[in-house]
Amino acid sequence: MKKEKNVLYGPEPLYPIEKSTAGKQLYDALLKHSHLPEAMIDVQAKETLSYRTLFLTTCQLAQSLQRCGYKQNDVISICSENNLKFFFPVIAALYLGMITAPFNQDYTPGELHNVLNISKPQLIFCSKKFLPKILELKRKHTFVKKIIILDVDEDMFGCESLSNFILRNSDKDPKRFKPVNFNPDEQVAAILCSSGTTGLPKGVMLTHKNFSARFAHVKDPSVGTETIPGVTVLSFMPFFHGFGFLTNLGYFLVGLRVIMLRRFEQELFLKSIQDYEVRNIMSVPPIILFLSKSPLVDKYDLSSLKEIGCGAAPLAKEVSEAAAKRLNLKGIRTGYGLTEATLVITHTLPDIFKSGSSGKLVSFMSAKVIDVNTGKSVGPNVVGEICLQGDMLMKGYAGNIKATKEAIDESGWLHTGDLGYYTEEEYFYIVDRLKELIKYKGFQVAPAELEEVLLRHPCIRDAAVVGVPDETAGELPAAFVVKQPGQKITEKEVIDYVAGQISYTKHLRGGVRFIEEIPRSATSKIQKKELQKLITPRKSKL
Ligand SMILES: Nc1ncnc2c1ncn2[C@@H]1O[C@H](COS(=O)(=O)NC(=O)c2csc(-c3nc4ccc(O)cc4s3)n2)[C@@H](O)[C@H]1O
């Protein structure tokens, strides 16, 4: 292949991208692993899902969906905490070429309005805990025609349970089911939320081919976490987010034993590592900080841990080294990823650690760094915007051609909005963010979404939201507010008002500052860097 100057290319892959659909690859993998007794163990519920049950149930659910007339390109959503049954509809949909649009179960009605109008799911699978929210949502959104409850045996409030839906509609012999064939390069597999470089959350369309590129990675011992069937990993990242969604599908593909936490609880996390002899964890920087500092760690035997991956936000060199030393590891494997490029794009290789680096490019991808003023690609050790190209790039933002064109240029390069550089050895370092995105504990916070909520308040004339650096969370959303003339409103009232309108991870933990005017450019774009200079970090109330 012709190599361009100042463009980096990922390594030759150990495994090629399969030509089959991601659904077919998972079908074959689950069949192959169906002798393994444990696919996923719910620690809190003390329940176990076997690969045989995972395989047969996904086939029966796919048969049932087909029998009820669901077909390629129909959209489902999932609203659930991490749950043993979460991936049943995901995998069944992949078999059929249906599209899964998961969303954060803690979203408020306002947030749900935004994201649901992007994907317009006709069928929503939810856990019992979130049924009231989804019933309310169905009343408001006429495109939602059916709700299926994942984790109950009996129908409730006019909604079928998953078990009854399968009982009533599936074939007596699930082994007669075969995945549908379609073009994996074009077929959208999932629509995942991301705010991209600016504005409100958008729907990232990832194709079966994007998934297959990730699947090729996970089979490679130098890329994936573990590749030996039956090896134990711990999974606590939220399943609705690209990180949790795709890492777990990768675990199933390889046949790993996944210890699942419904939500992160410090002692349960440590006890699970000890009791299940977990070998590998994929995590985010706040967890590494916890492992480096918490006295709780000394109460448990964590010697089974052979590798910890970390990504989704910057990991301080000191924190990484302290955690590795405490856990007797040579280092913490770090990676850089974004939903618009499916998952991990760069990562450090096993046993080769470069503190502070996010590692090297993965196969099937190319990268360049461009000068933010000229747009021209630069060479090593020069900071610029990271641009990506290759088989893991999203198909685009669902229903948003304008945002897609702003993100992916005519030459097919995704402009990530991340500032970084690479060394002569092609190790990447992410140093800052051009884009507005705020990362609270690895979770995305779109400033525009909070600004939209603030501007609806009658006492607020103008508002801007920026990220405040925080050692524990990475960044905290903070608001600058201009009051309406003559109006009185306190910082606490603003914080409480926003907290009542938006989900937990987006609350204004960085506080509120009242100012006379929001600094704007000639094109009325908020000058966020100016505002950040006005911020003196306060002790966060996490
Ligand atoms: N390592 C990093 N350092 C600094 N910033 C980082 C980062 N990773 C993501 N980010 C930031 O999050 C943005 C993307 O946010 S996002 O869309 O929510 N997606 C993500 O943050 C995202 C999706 S998948 C993923 C990772 N999966 C992994 C699995 C194993 C492992 O060892 C490392 C990783 S990173 N991250 C990036 O544009 C960037 O701004």
Side-chain angles (χ1 to χ4, degrees):
M1 171 176 63
K2 181 176 174 311
K3 299 228 170 181
E4 273 182 68
K5 186 171 179 297
N6 290 342
V7 172
L8 276 63
Y9 300 86
E12 276 307 304
L14 185 60
Y15 294 97
I17 295 175
E18 296 286 344
K19 296 272 182 270
S20 56
T21 70
K24 178 67 169 65
Q25 292 168 61
L26 276 166
Y27 176 92
D28 293 343
L30 297 184
L31 179 57
K32 186 174 91 177
H33 302 315
S34 50
H35 66 289
L36 294 171
E38 294 169 324
M40 190 172 261
I41 298 172
D42 181 333
V43 173
Q44 277 102 337
K46 294 185 174 35
E47 286 173 12
T48 297
L49 171 67
S50 69
Y51 272 99
R52 175 177 164 74
T53 302
L54 182 57
F55 174 66
L56 293 176
T57 308
T58 51
C59 291
Q60 290 169 325
L61 177 53
Q63 280 176 328
S64 305
L65 289 166
Q66 278 180 317
R67 285 267 163 80
C68 293
Y70 292 97
K71 62 195 180 309
Q72 197 172 339
N73 284 315
D74 285 353
V75 181
I76 66 170
S77 268
I78 303 176
C79 178
S80 169
E81 68 284 4
N82 287 359
N83 188 311
L84 284 186
K85 301 177 171 67
F86 185 100
F87 287 96
F88 286 163
V90 173
I91 295 171
L94 288 170
Y95 292 163
L96 300 176
M98 290 173 68
I99 299 167
T100 298
F103 55 76
N104 183 337
Q105 67 276 12
D106 295 326
Y107 274 175
T108 63
E111 290 168 293
L112 285 173
H113 180 81
N114 277 338
V115 298
L116 282 175
N117 276 303
I118 293 169
S119 54
K120 292 187 174 55
Q122 54 185 290
L123 167 58
I124 298 183
F125 292 83
C126 72
S127 62
K128 179 183 174 188
K129 179 177 178 185
F130 295 99
L131 180 59
K133 180 186 281 191
I134 301 304
L135 283 168
E136 177 56 27
L137 194 128
K138 184 170 182 291
R139 277 192 280 279
K140 279 187 191 163
H141 299 278
T142 53
F143 49 73
V144 181
K145 303 297 183 202
K146 185 174 178 64
I147 298 170
I148 291 178
I149 313 163
L150 287 168
D151 53 354
V152 293
D153 295 330
E154 297 310 321
D155 300 355
M156 290 171 76
F157 300 102
C159 303
E160 277 190 289
S161 67
L162 176 68
S163 48
N164 280 342
F165 178 69
I166 288 173
L167 204 60
R168 291 170 186 141
N169 297 292
S170 74
D171 189 316
K172 291 299 161 258
D173 178 8
K175 288 207 172 105
R176 283 155 47 115
F177 169 76
K178 294 293 174 243
V180 172
N181 199 15
F182 43 79
N183 180 352
D185 298 7
E186 291 304 319
Q187 182 56 50
V188 174
I191 298 175
L192 302 177
C193 292
S194 174
S195 58
T197 52
T198 182
L200 293 173
K202 293 170 264 305
V204 172
M205 296 188 291
L206 297 180
T207 66
H208 278 249
K209 183 170 186 180
N210 294 148
F211 278 36
S212 300
R214 172 63 189 171
F215 288 177
H217 288 162
V218 299
K219 295 185 290 190
D220 177 347
S222 71
V223 179
T225 50
E226 298 295 340
T227 55
I228 302 164
V231 167
T232 304
V233 295
L234 185 65
S235 179
F236 59 92
M237 294 298 289
F239 290 174
F240 66 83
H241 185 275
F243 195 140
F245 193 86
L246 275 149
T247 42
N248 280 291
L249 287 178
Y251 291 155
F252 291 143
L253 190 87
V254 172
L256 301 185
R257 175 182 183 243
V258 184
I259 308 304
M260 178 202 86
L261 298 184
R262 292 182 169 225
R263 64 198 154 280
F264 180 81
E265 295 167 17
Q266 292 185 346
E267 291 235 38
L268 190 61
F269 170 73
L270 298 171
K271 188 175 185 310
S272 301
I273 295 170
Q274 170 186 278
D275 294 355
Y276 293 99
E277 296 184 326
V278 168
R279 270 180 67 92
N280 190 298
I281 303 173
M282 303 284 238
S283 68
V284 286
I287 306 300
I288 307 300
L289 182 70
F290 162 71
L291 289 169
S292 71
K293 291 197 164 178
S294 171
L296 290 174
V297 171
D298 297 327
K299 289 172 60 181
Y300 297 92
D301 171 6
L302 307 183
S303 57
S304 61
L305 273 177
K306 294 297 172 268
E307 182 175 279
I308 299 182
C310 179
L315 175 63
K317 184 173 173 180
E318 308 68 38
V319 173
S320 171
E321 289 168 351
K325 184 163 184 255
R326 190 175 194 190
L327 298 169
N328 296 320
L329 296 172
K330 281 179 70 179
I332 304 293
R333 275 192 80 182
T334 50
Y336 161 68
L338 64 162
T339 308
E340 285 81 354
T342 304
L343 198 72
V344 195
I345 291 303
T346 73
H347 62 90
T348 53
L349 298 173
D351 299 331
I352 307 173
F353 298 98
K354 295 263 181 187
S355 253
S357 169
S358 292
K360 304 184 88 168
L361 207 50
V362 296
S363 300
F364 318 120
M365 291 302 287
S366 307
K368 64 181 181 180
V369 173
I370 62 170
D371 179 298
V372 292
N373 298 312
T374 66
K376 293 200 179 322
S377 62
V378 296
N381 302 312
V382 179
V383 174
E385 183 181 14
I386 296 170
C387 297
L388 303 170
Q389 192 171 64
D391 293 317
M392 298 179 82
L393 278 207
M394 67 173 173
K395 184 170 186 175
Y397 291 119
N400 196 335
I401 294 172
K402 179 174 179 292
T404 302
K405 288 186 173 172
E406 285 167 358
I408 302 176
D409 66 27
E410 283 107 48
S411 308
W413 285 99
L414 170 73
H415 293 243
T416 63
D418 291 314
L419 281 178
Y421 68 92
Y422 57 88
T423 62
E424 284 86 353
E425 295 172 299
E426 302 193 356
Y427 277 92
F428 277 83
Y429 291 77
I430 315 299
V431 297
D432 199 353
R433 216 170 282 143
L434 273 176
K435 56 192 172 186
E436 298 168 357
L437 178 67
I438 295 167
K439 276 285 183 110
Y440 169 76
K441 293 190 173 182
F443 285 97
Q444 286 204 12
V445 181
E449 200 171 16
L450 292 177
E451 288 157 4
E452 190 180 66
V453 170
L454 287 161
L455 290 174
R456 287 202 293 262
H457 194 290
C459 295
I460 294 175
R461 182 165 67 83
D462 200 0
V465 173
V466 297
V468 177
D470 178 82
E471 188 207 16
T472 309
E475 291 178 290
L476 302 175
F480 285 88
V481 166
V482 178
K483 297 178 193 175
Q484 287 291 11
Q487 292 295 335
K488 291 191 185 330
I489 185 168
T490 65
E491 176 180 17
K492 183 179 183 312
E493 284 168 335
V494 174
I495 291 172
D496 292 348
Y497 160 72
V498 169
Q501 307 251 338
I502 211 124
S503 54
Y504 181 73
T505 54
K506 301 175 186 175
H507 291 179
L508 290 172
R509 291 177 177 80
V512 175
R513 288 124 177 111
F514 293 103
I515 58 173
E516 290 306 309
E517 200 63 36
I518 299 288
R520 290 175 183 274
S521 68
T523 55
S524 81
K525 194 169 165 43
I526 296 172
Q527 302 291 73
K528 302 252 171 162
K529 292 288 181 198
E530 291 306 308
L531 291 172
Q532 242 134 6
K533 288 177 192 162
L534 305 176
I535 284 188
T536 47
R538 301 173 183 170
K539 189 77 194 100
S540 62
K541 307 173 190 69
L542 280 187

